[in-house]
Structures are given as C-alpha cells and as structure tokens.
Amino acid sequence: MKHTSAVLIAATLGLASQGVGAQDNSGSGTSAGAEHPDEIVRMHQQVAAANREYDREVAAAKKVYDHKKAEAKKKRDAAVSVAHGAGQ
C-alpha cells in the first residue's frame, strides 16, 4: 500500500512539473523578469491582460460602429429632408 502511494505521488509530481513547464512556455507576453513567482498571481495577471485586450478590441469596434451609425444618420436625415421638400 505504501509503495502504491509513493508511485501515485511521484506520478502526480511528474505530471504537475510537466504542466508547469507547458504553462511557462505559453508566451504570455510578459518579460521573464516581470513574472511573479506565484503561479496563481501569474494566472490572474494573464487573465487581466486578456481582459484588457478584449476591452481594447471592443472599444475599437464601438468606434467603428459609432462612425457607421453617424454616416447612416446623415444619409437618413438627407433623405428625410428631400422627402419633406418634395411634399411641399
């Protein structure tokens, strides 16, 4: 029984060290000197970076939307003014 527990613990540690190595090579975009030694803190930093990138992309999309909406409003206003002028 003790032998089985030791094998399980060794296998778990081996898999855990492989998983950590795969995470370190993920290319998160932070420099090696700026990485925090705590895995949980690094995870939160990566999540925060992903959220910032998402927010940046959404802001850019909103700018495009607002621009297109303004163009459409100008076209509509022009068509409405033509329609009002044709009715008189």
Side-chain angles (χ1 to χ4, degrees):
M1 188 67 160
K2 289 182 182 180
H3 180 31
T4 305
S5 297
V7 170
L8 287 174
I9 290 172
T12 303
L13 290 175
L15 291 174
S17 66
Q18 288 176 355
V20 170
Q23 278 185 334
D24 290 343
N25 295 331
S26 65
S28 63
T30 59
S31 66
E35 285 188 4
H36 197 279
D38 187 0
E39 183 179 345
I40 301 294
V41 173
R42 282 195 313 265
M43 179 198 62
H44 284 288
Q45 289 172 340
Q46 290 172 350
V47 168
N51 285 334
R52 283 190 302 272
E53 178 66 19
Y54 171 79
D55 291 341
R56 186 189 64 76
E57 289 182 16
V58 167
K62 283 182 181 178
K63 287 180 184 178
V64 170
Y65 169 77
D66 290 340
H67 179 72
K68 296 287 187 180
K69 186 177 174 184
E71 286 179 357
K73 184 177 185 292
K74 285 179 187 177
K75 288 180 184 178
R76 184 200 62 196
D77 291 346
V80 168
S81 73
V82 167
H84 283 163
Q88 291 180 350

Coordinates of all heavy atoms in Angstrom, one line a residue:
M1 N 0.8 -1.2 0.0 CA 0.0 0.0 0.0 C 0.9 1.3 0.0 O 0.6 2.2 -0.7 CB -0.9 0.0 1.2 CG -2.0 1.0 1.2 SD -3.1 0.8 -0.1 CE -4.5 1.7 0.5
K2 N 1.9 1.2 0.8 CA 2.8 2.4 0.9 C 3.5 2.6 -0.5 O 3.7 3.7 -0.9 CB 3.9 2.2 2.0 CG 3.3 2.4 3.3 CD 4.4 2.3 4.4 CE 3.8 2.4 5.8 NZ 4.8 2.2 6.8
H3 N 3.8 1.5 -1.1 CA 4.5 1.5 -2.4 C 3.6 2.2 -3.5 O 4.0 3.0 -4.3 CB 4.9 0.1 -2.9 CG 5.7 0.1 -4.2 ND1 6.4 1.1 -4.6 CD2 5.7 -0.9 -5.1 CE1 6.9 0.8 -5.8 NE2 6.5 -0.4 -6.1
T4 N 2.3 1.8 -3.5 CA 1.3 2.4 -4.4 C 1.2 3.9 -4.2 O 1.1 4.6 -5.1 CB 0.0 1.7 -4.2 OG1 0.2 0.3 -4.4 CG2 -1.0 2.2 -5.2
S5 N 1.1 4.3 -2.9 CA 1.0 5.7 -2.6 C 2.2 6.5 -3.1 O 2.1 7.6 -3.6 CB 0.9 5.9 -1.1 OG -0.3 5.3 -0.6
A6 N 3.4 5.9 -2.9 CA 4.6 6.6 -3.3 C 4.6 6.7 -4.9 O 5.0 7.7 -5.4 CB 5.8 5.8 -2.9
V7 N 4.2 5.7 -5.6 CA 4.2 5.7 -7.0 C 3.2 6.8 -7.5 O 3.4 7.6 -8.4 CB 3.8 4.3 -7.6 CG1 3.5 4.4 -9.1 CG2 4.9 3.4 -7.3
L8 N 2.0 6.8 -6.9 CA 1.0 7.8 -7.2 C 1.5 9.3 -7.0 O 1.3 10.2 -7.8 CB -0.3 7.6 -6.5 CG -1.1 6.4 -6.9 CD1 -2.3 6.2 -6.0 CD2 -1.6 6.6 -8.3
I9 N 2.2 9.5 -5.8 CA 2.7 10.8 -5.5 C 3.8 11.2 -6.5 O 3.8 12.3 -7.1 CB 3.2 10.8 -4.1 CG1 2.1 10.7 -3.1 CG2 4.1 12.1 -3.9 CD1 2.5 10.6 -1.7
A10 N 4.6 10.2 -6.9 CA 5.7 10.5 -7.8 C 5.1 10.8 -9.2 O 5.6 11.8 -9.9 CB 6.7 9.3 -7.9
A11 N 4.1 10.1 -9.6 CA 3.5 10.3 -10.9 C 2.8 11.7 -10.9 O 2.8 12.4 -11.9 CB 2.5 9.2 -11.2
T12 N 2.1 12.0 -9.8 CA 1.4 13.3 -9.8 C 2.4 14.4 -9.8 O 2.2 15.4 -10.6 CB 0.6 13.4 -8.5 OG1 -0.3 12.3 -8.4 CG2 -0.1 14.7 -8.4
L13 N 3.5 14.3 -9.1 CA 4.5 15.4 -9.2 C 5.2 15.5 -10.6 O 5.4 16.6 -11.0 CB 5.6 15.1 -8.1 CG 5.2 15.3 -6.7 CD1 6.3 14.9 -5.7 CD2 4.8 16.7 -6.4
G14 N 5.4 14.4 -11.2 CA 5.9 14.4 -12.6 C 5.0 15.1 -13.5 O 5.4 15.9 -14.4
L15 N 3.7 14.8 -13.4 CA 2.7 15.4 -14.3 C 2.6 16.9 -14.0 O 2.4 17.7 -14.9 CB 1.4 14.7 -14.2 CG 1.3 13.3 -14.8 CD1 -0.1 12.7 -14.5 CD2 1.5 13.3 -16.3
A16 N 2.6 17.2 -12.7 CA 2.5 18.6 -12.3 C 3.7 19.4 -12.9 O 3.5 20.6 -13.3 CB 2.4 18.7 -10.8
S17 N 4.9 18.9 -12.8 CA 6.0 19.6 -13.3 C 6.0 19.8 -14.8 O 6.4 20.8 -15.4 CB 7.3 18.9 -12.9 OG 7.4 17.7 -13.5
Q18 N 5.4 18.8 -15.5 CA 5.2 19.0 -17.0 C 4.2 20.0 -17.3 O 4.4 20.8 -18.2 CB 4.8 17.6 -17.6 CG 5.9 16.6 -17.6 CD 5.4 15.3 -18.2 OE1 4.2 15.1 -18.4 NE2 6.3 14.3 -18.3
G19 N 3.1 20.1 -16.5 CA 2.1 21.1 -16.8 C 2.6 22.5 -16.5 O 2.3 23.4 -17.2
V20 N 3.4 22.7 -15.5 CA 4.0 24.0 -15.2 C 4.9 24.4 -16.3 O 4.9 25.5 -16.7 CB 4.7 24.0 -13.8 CG1 5.5 25.2 -13.6 CG2 3.7 23.8 -12.7
G21 N 5.7 23.5 -16.8 CA 6.6 23.8 -17.9 C 5.9 24.2 -19.1 O 6.3 25.2 -19.8
A22 N 4.7 23.6 -19.4 CA 3.9 24.0 -20.6 C 3.3 25.3 -20.4 O 3.2 26.1 -21.3 CB 2.8 22.9 -20.8
Q23 N 2.9 25.7 -19.1 CA 2.4 27.0 -18.9 C 3.4 28.1 -19.0 O 3.2 29.1 -19.5 CB 1.8 27.1 -17.5 CG 0.4 26.5 -17.3 CD -0.1 26.7 -15.9 OE1 0.6 26.8 -15.0 NE2 -1.4 26.7 -15.8
D24 N 4.7 27.8 -18.6 CA 5.7 28.8 -18.7 C 6.1 29.1 -20.1 O 6.5 30.2 -20.4 CB 7.0 28.3 -17.9 CG 6.8 28.3 -16.4 OD1 5.8 28.9 -16.0 OD2 7.6 27.6 -15.7
N25 N 5.9 28.2 -21.0 CA 6.2 28.4 -22.4 C 5.0 28.9 -23.2 O 5.1 28.9 -24.5 CB 6.8 27.1 -23.0 CG 8.1 26.7 -22.4 OD1 8.8 27.5 -22.0 ND2 8.3 25.4 -22.4
S26 N 4.0 29.4 -22.6 CA 2.8 29.8 -23.3 C 3.0 31.1 -24.0 O 2.2 31.5 -24.9 CB 1.6 29.9 -22.3 OG 1.9 31.0 -21.4
G27 N 4.0 31.9 -23.8 CA 4.3 33.1 -24.5 C 3.2 34.2 -24.1 O 2.6 34.8 -24.9
S28 N 3.1 34.4 -22.8 CA 2.1 35.3 -22.3 C 2.3 36.8 -22.6 O 1.5 37.6 -22.4 CB 1.9 35.1 -20.8 OG 3.1 35.5 -20.1
G29 N 3.5 37.1 -23.1 CA 3.8 38.4 -23.5 C 4.5 39.2 -22.4 O 4.8 40.4 -22.6
T30 N 4.7 38.7 -21.2 CA 5.4 39.4 -20.2 C 6.9 38.9 -20.2 O 7.2 37.8 -20.5 CB 4.8 39.1 -18.8 OG1 4.9 37.7 -18.6 CG2 3.3 39.5 -18.7
S31 N 7.7 39.8 -19.8 CA 9.2 39.5 -19.8 C 9.4 38.6 -18.6 O 8.7 38.5 -17.6 CB 10.0 40.8 -19.6 OG 9.7 41.4 -18.4
A32 N 10.5 37.8 -18.7 CA 10.9 36.9 -17.6 C 11.1 37.6 -16.3 O 10.8 37.0 -15.3 CB 12.1 36.0 -18.1
G33 N 11.7 38.8 -16.3 CA 12.0 39.5 -15.1 C 10.7 40.0 -14.4 O 10.7 40.2 -13.2
A34 N 9.7 40.2 -15.2 CA 8.4 40.8 -14.6 C 7.5 39.7 -14.1 O 6.5 40.0 -13.5 CB 7.7 41.6 -15.7
E35 N 7.7 38.4 -14.4 CA 6.8 37.4 -14.0 C 6.9 37.2 -12.5 O 8.0 37.2 -11.9 CB 7.2 36.1 -14.7 CG 6.7 36.1 -16.1 CD 6.9 34.7 -16.7 OE1 7.3 33.7 -16.0 OE2 6.6 34.6 -17.9
H36 N 5.8 37.0 -11.9 CA 5.7 36.7 -10.5 C 6.0 35.3 -10.2 O 5.6 34.4 -11.0 CB 4.3 37.1 -10.0 CG 4.2 37.3 -8.5 ND1 4.0 36.2 -7.7 CD2 4.2 38.4 -7.8 CE1 4.0 36.7 -6.4 NE2 4.1 38.0 -6.5
P37 N 6.6 35.0 -9.1 CA 7.0 33.6 -8.8 C 5.7 32.7 -8.5 O 5.8 31.5 -8.6 CB 7.9 33.6 -7.6 CG 7.7 35.0 -7.0 CD 7.2 35.9 -8.1
D38 N 4.7 33.3 -8.1 CA 3.5 32.6 -7.7 C 2.6 32.3 -8.9 O 2.3 33.2 -9.7 CB 2.7 33.4 -6.7 CG 1.5 32.6 -6.1 OD1 1.3 31.4 -6.5 OD2 0.8 33.2 -5.2
E39 N 2.3 31.0 -9.1 CA 1.5 30.6 -10.3 C 0.1 31.2 -10.3 O -0.3 31.6 -11.4 CB 1.4 29.0 -10.2 CG 0.7 28.4 -11.4 CD 0.6 26.9 -11.3 OE1 1.4 26.3 -10.5 OE2 -0.1 26.4 -12.1
I40 N -0.5 31.3 -9.2 CA -1.9 31.9 -9.1 C -1.8 33.4 -9.5 O -2.7 33.8 -10.3 CB -2.5 31.7 -7.7 CG1 -2.6 30.3 -7.3 CG2 -3.8 32.4 -7.6 CD1 -3.5 29.5 -8.2
V41 N -0.8 34.1 -9.0 CA -0.7 35.5 -9.4 C -0.4 35.7 -10.9 O -1.0 36.5 -11.5 CB 0.5 36.2 -8.6 CG1 0.7 37.6 -9.0 CG2 0.1 36.1 -7.1
R42 N 0.4 34.8 -11.4 CA 0.7 34.8 -12.9 C -0.6 34.6 -13.7 O -0.9 35.2 -14.7 CB 1.7 33.8 -13.3 CG 3.1 34.2 -13.0 CD 4.2 33.4 -13.7 NE 3.9 31.9 -13.6 CZ 4.5 31.1 -12.7 NH1 5.3 31.6 -11.8 NH2 4.2 29.8 -12.7
M43 N -1.4 33.6 -13.2 CA -2.7 33.3 -13.9 C -3.6 34.6 -13.8 O -4.2 34.9 -14.9 CB -3.4 32.2 -13.2 CG -4.8 31.8 -13.8 SD -5.9 30.9 -12.8 CE -6.1 31.9 -11.4
H44 N -3.7 35.2 -12.7 CA -4.5 36.4 -12.6 C -4.0 37.5 -13.5 O -4.8 38.3 -14.1 CB -4.6 36.9 -11.1 CG -5.5 36.1 -10.3 ND1 -6.9 36.1 -10.4 CD2 -5.3 35.2 -9.3 CE1 -7.5 35.3 -9.6 NE2 -6.5 34.7 -8.9
Q45 N -2.7 37.6 -13.6 CA -2.1 38.6 -14.5 C -2.4 38.3 -15.9 O -2.7 39.3 -16.7 CB -0.6 38.7 -14.3 CG -0.1 39.3 -13.0 CD 1.3 39.2 -12.7 OE1 2.0 38.3 -13.3 NE2 1.9 40.0 -11.8
Q46 N -2.4 37.1 -16.3 CA -2.7 36.7 -17.7 C -4.2 36.9 -18.0 O -4.5 37.4 -19.1 CB -2.4 35.2 -17.9 CG -0.9 35.0 -18.0 CD -0.6 33.5 -18.0 OE1 -1.4 32.6 -17.8 NE2 0.7 33.2 -18.2
V47 N -5.1 36.7 -17.0 CA -6.5 36.9 -17.2 C -6.7 38.4 -17.3 O -7.5 38.9 -18.2 CB -7.3 36.4 -16.0 CG1 -8.7 36.9 -16.0 CG2 -7.3 34.8 -16.0
A48 N -6.0 39.2 -16.5 CA -6.2 40.7 -16.6 C -5.7 41.2 -17.9 O -6.3 42.1 -18.5 CB -5.4 41.4 -15.5
A49 N -4.6 40.6 -18.4 CA -4.1 41.1 -19.8 C -5.1 40.7 -20.9 O -5.3 41.5 -21.8 CB -2.7 40.4 -20.0
A50 N -5.7 39.5 -20.8 CA -6.7 39.1 -21.8 C -7.9 40.0 -21.7 O -8.4 40.4 -22.7 CB -7.1 37.7 -21.5
N51 N -8.3 40.4 -20.5 CA -9.5 41.3 -20.3 C -9.1 42.7 -20.9 O -10.0 43.3 -21.5 CB -9.9 41.4 -18.9 CG -10.6 40.2 -18.4 OD1 -11.2 39.5 -19.2 ND2 -10.5 40.0 -17.1
R52 N -7.9 43.2 -20.7 CA -7.5 44.5 -21.3 C -7.5 44.4 -22.8 O -8.0 45.4 -23.4 CB -6.1 44.9 -20.8 CG -6.1 45.4 -19.3 CD -4.8 46.0 -19.0 NE -3.7 45.1 -19.1 CZ -3.2 44.3 -18.2 NH1 -3.8 44.3 -17.0 NH2 -2.2 43.5 -18.4
E53 N -7.0 43.4 -23.4 CA -7.0 43.2 -24.8 C -8.5 43.2 -25.4 O -8.8 43.8 -26.4 CB -6.3 41.9 -25.2 CG -6.3 41.7 -26.7 CD -5.5 42.7 -27.5 OE1 -4.7 43.4 -26.9 OE2 -5.7 42.8 -28.7
Y54 N -9.3 42.4 -24.7 CA -10.7 42.4 -25.1 C -11.4 43.7 -25.0 O -12.1 44.2 -25.9 CB -11.5 41.4 -24.1 CG -13.0 41.4 -24.3 CD1 -13.6 40.8 -25.4 CD2 -13.8 42.1 -23.4 CE1 -15.0 40.8 -25.5 CE2 -15.1 42.2 -23.6 CZ -15.7 41.5 -24.6 OH -17.1 41.5 -24.8
D55 N -11.1 44.5 -23.9 CA -11.7 45.8 -23.8 C -11.2 46.7 -24.9 O -12.0 47.6 -25.4 CB -11.4 46.4 -22.4 CG -12.1 45.7 -21.3 OD1 -13.1 45.0 -21.6 OD2 -11.7 45.8 -20.1
R56 N -9.9 46.6 -25.2 CA -9.4 47.4 -26.3 C -10.1 47.2 -27.6 O -10.4 48.1 -28.4 CB -7.9 47.2 -26.4 CG -7.2 48.1 -27.4 CD -5.7 47.7 -27.6 NE -5.6 46.4 -28.3 CZ -5.9 46.2 -29.6 NH1 -6.2 47.2 -30.3 NH2 -5.7 45.0 -30.1
E57 N -10.3 45.9 -27.9 CA -10.9 45.5 -29.2 C -12.4 45.9 -29.2 O -12.9 46.4 -30.2 CB -10.8 44.0 -29.4 CG -9.4 43.6 -29.7 CD -9.2 42.1 -30.0 OE1 -10.3 41.4 -30.3 OE2 -8.1 41.6 -30.0
V58 N -13.1 45.8 -28.1 CA -14.4 46.3 -28.0 C -14.5 47.8 -28.2 O -15.4 48.3 -28.9 CB -15.1 45.8 -26.7 CG1 -16.4 46.5 -26.5 CG2 -15.3 44.3 -26.7
A59 N -13.6 48.5 -27.6 CA -13.6 50.0 -27.8 C -13.4 50.3 -29.2 O -14.0 51.3 -29.8 CB -12.5 50.6 -26.9
A60 N -12.5 49.6 -29.9 CA -12.2 49.9 -31.3 C -13.5 49.6 -32.2 O -13.8 50.3 -33.1 CB -11.0 49.1 -31.8
A61 N -14.1 48.5 -31.8 CA -15.4 48.1 -32.6 C -16.5 49.1 -32.3 O -17.2 49.5 -33.3 CB -15.8 46.7 -32.2
K62 N -16.6 49.7 -31.1 CA -17.6 50.7 -30.8 C -17.3 52.0 -31.6 O -18.2 52.6 -32.1 CB -17.6 51.0 -29.3 CG -18.3 49.9 -28.5 CD -18.4 50.3 -27.0 CE -19.0 49.2 -26.3 NZ -19.1 49.5 -24.8
K63 N -16.0 52.3 -31.8 CA -15.7 53.5 -32.6 C -16.2 53.3 -34.0 O -16.7 54.2 -34.6 CB -14.2 53.8 -32.5 CG -13.7 54.3 -31.2 CD -12.3 54.6 -31.2 CE -11.8 55.1 -29.9 NZ -10.3 55.3 -29.9
V64 N -15.9 52.1 -34.6 CA -16.3 51.8 -35.9 C -17.8 51.9 -36.0 O -18.4 52.5 -37.0 CB -15.8 50.5 -36.4 CG1 -16.4 50.0 -37.7 CG2 -14.3 50.5 -36.5
Y65 N -18.5 51.3 -35.1 CA -20.0 51.3 -35.0 C -20.5 52.7 -35.0 O -21.4 53.1 -35.7 CB -20.5 50.5 -33.8 CG -21.9 50.6 -33.6 CD1 -22.9 50.0 -34.3 CD2 -22.4 51.5 -32.5 CE1 -24.3 50.1 -34.1 CE2 -23.8 51.6 -32.3 CZ -24.7 51.0 -33.1 OH -26.0 51.1 -32.8
D66 N -19.9 53.5 -34.1 CA -20.4 54.9 -33.9 C -20.2 55.7 -35.2 O -21.1 56.5 -35.6 CB -19.7 55.6 -32.8 CG -20.2 55.1 -31.4 OD1 -21.2 54.5 -31.3 OD2 -19.4 55.3 -30.4
H67 N -19.1 55.5 -35.9 CA -18.8 56.1 -37.2 C -19.8 55.7 -38.2 O -20.4 56.6 -38.9 CB -17.4 55.8 -37.6 CG -17.0 56.5 -38.9 ND1 -16.8 57.8 -39.1 CD2 -16.8 55.9 -40.2 CE1 -16.5 58.1 -40.3 NE2 -16.5 57.0 -41.0
K68 N -20.1 54.4 -38.4 CA -21.0 53.9 -39.4 C -22.4 54.4 -39.0 O -23.2 54.8 -39.9 CB -21.0 52.4 -39.4 CG -19.7 51.8 -39.9 CD -19.6 52.0 -41.4 CE -18.4 51.3 -41.9 NZ -18.2 51.5 -43.3
K69 N -22.8 54.5 -37.8 CA -24.1 55.0 -37.3 C -24.3 56.4 -37.7 O -25.3 56.8 -38.2 CB -24.2 54.7 -35.8 CG -25.6 55.1 -35.3 CD -25.7 54.8 -33.8 CE -27.0 55.2 -33.2 NZ -27.1 55.0 -31.8
A70 N -23.2 57.2 -37.5 CA -23.3 58.6 -37.8 C -23.4 58.8 -39.4 O -24.2 59.7 -39.8 CB -22.0 59.4 -37.4
E71 N -22.7 58.0 -40.1 CA -22.9 58.1 -41.6 C -24.3 57.7 -42.0 O -24.9 58.4 -42.9 CB -21.9 57.1 -42.3 CG -20.5 57.6 -42.3 CD -19.6 56.6 -43.0 OE1 -20.0 55.5 -43.4 OE2 -18.4 56.9 -43.1
A72 N -24.9 56.7 -41.4 CA -26.3 56.3 -41.7 C -27.3 57.4 -41.3 O -28.2 57.6 -42.0 CB -26.6 55.0 -41.0
K73 N -27.0 58.0 -40.2 CA -27.9 59.1 -39.7 C -27.9 60.3 -40.7 O -28.9 60.8 -41.0 CB -27.5 59.6 -38.3 CG -28.4 60.6 -37.7 CD -28.0 61.0 -36.3 CE -28.9 61.9 -35.7 NZ -29.0 63.2 -36.2
K74 N -26.7 60.6 -41.2 CA -26.6 61.7 -42.2 C -27.4 61.3 -43.5 O -28.1 62.2 -44.0 CB -25.1 62.0 -42.6 CG -24.4 62.7 -41.5 CD -22.9 62.9 -41.9 CE -22.1 63.5 -40.8 NZ -20.7 63.6 -41.2
K75 N -27.3 60.1 -43.9 CA -28.0 59.7 -45.1 C -29.5 59.7 -44.9 O -30.3 60.2 -45.7 CB -27.6 58.3 -45.5 CG -26.2 58.2 -46.1 CD -25.9 56.7 -46.5 CE -24.5 56.6 -47.0 NZ -24.2 55.2 -47.3
R76 N -29.9 59.3 -43.7 CA -31.3 59.3 -43.4 C -31.9 60.7 -43.3 O -32.9 61.0 -43.8 CB -31.6 58.6 -42.0 CG -33.1 58.5 -41.7 CD -33.3 58.2 -40.2 NE -32.8 59.3 -39.5 CZ -32.6 59.3 -38.2 NH1 -32.8 58.2 -37.5 NH2 -32.1 60.3 -37.5
D77 N -31.1 61.6 -42.6 CA -31.5 63.0 -42.5 C -31.6 63.6 -43.9 O -32.6 64.4 -44.1 CB -30.6 63.7 -41.6 CG -30.6 63.3 -40.1 OD1 -31.6 62.6 -39.8 OD2 -29.7 63.7 -39.4
A78 N -30.7 63.3 -44.8 CA -30.8 63.9 -46.1 C -32.0 63.4 -46.8 O -32.7 64.2 -47.5 CB -29.5 63.5 -46.9
A79 N -32.3 62.1 -46.7 CA -33.5 61.5 -47.4 C -34.8 62.1 -46.8 O -35.7 62.4 -47.5 CB -33.5 60.0 -47.2
V80 N -34.8 62.3 -45.5 CA -36.0 62.9 -44.9 C -36.2 64.3 -45.3 O -37.3 64.7 -45.6 CB -35.9 62.8 -43.3 CG1 -36.9 63.6 -42.6 CG2 -36.0 61.4 -42.9
S81 N -35.1 65.1 -45.4 CA -35.2 66.5 -45.8 C -35.7 66.5 -47.3 O -36.5 67.4 -47.7 CB -33.9 67.3 -45.6 OG -32.9 66.9 -46.5
V82 N -35.2 65.6 -48.1 CA -35.6 65.6 -49.5 C -37.1 65.2 -49.6 O -37.9 65.8 -50.3 CB -34.8 64.5 -50.3 CG1 -35.5 64.2 -51.7 CG2 -33.4 65.1 -50.5
A83 N -37.5 64.3 -48.8 CA -38.9 63.8 -48.7 C -39.8 65.0 -48.2 O -40.9 65.2 -48.8 CB -39.1 62.6 -47.8
H84 N -39.4 65.7 -47.3 CA -40.1 66.9 -46.8 C -40.2 68.0 -47.8 O -41.2 68.7 -48.0 CB -39.5 67.4 -45.5 CG -39.9 66.6 -44.3 ND1 -39.2 66.7 -43.1 CD2 -40.8 65.7 -44.1 CE1 -39.6 65.9 -42.2 NE2 -40.6 65.2 -42.8
G85 N -39.1 68.2 -48.6 CA -39.1 69.2 -49.7 C -40.0 68.8 -50.8 O -40.6 69.6 -51.5
A86 N -40.1 67.5 -51.1 CA -40.9 67.0 -52.2 C -42.4 67.1 -51.9 O -43.2 67.3 -52.8 CB -40.6 65.6 -52.6
G87 N -42.8 67.1 -50.6 CA -44.2 67.1 -50.2 C -44.7 68.5 -50.3 O -45.9 68.7 -50.3
Q88 N -43.9 69.5 -50.3 CA -44.4 70.9 -50.3 C -44.7 71.5 -51.6 O -44.3 71.3 -52.7 CB -43.4 71.8 -49.6 CG -43.3 71.5 -48.1 CD -42.3 72.4 -47.4 OE1 -41.5 73.1 -48.0 NE2 -42.3 72.3 -46.1

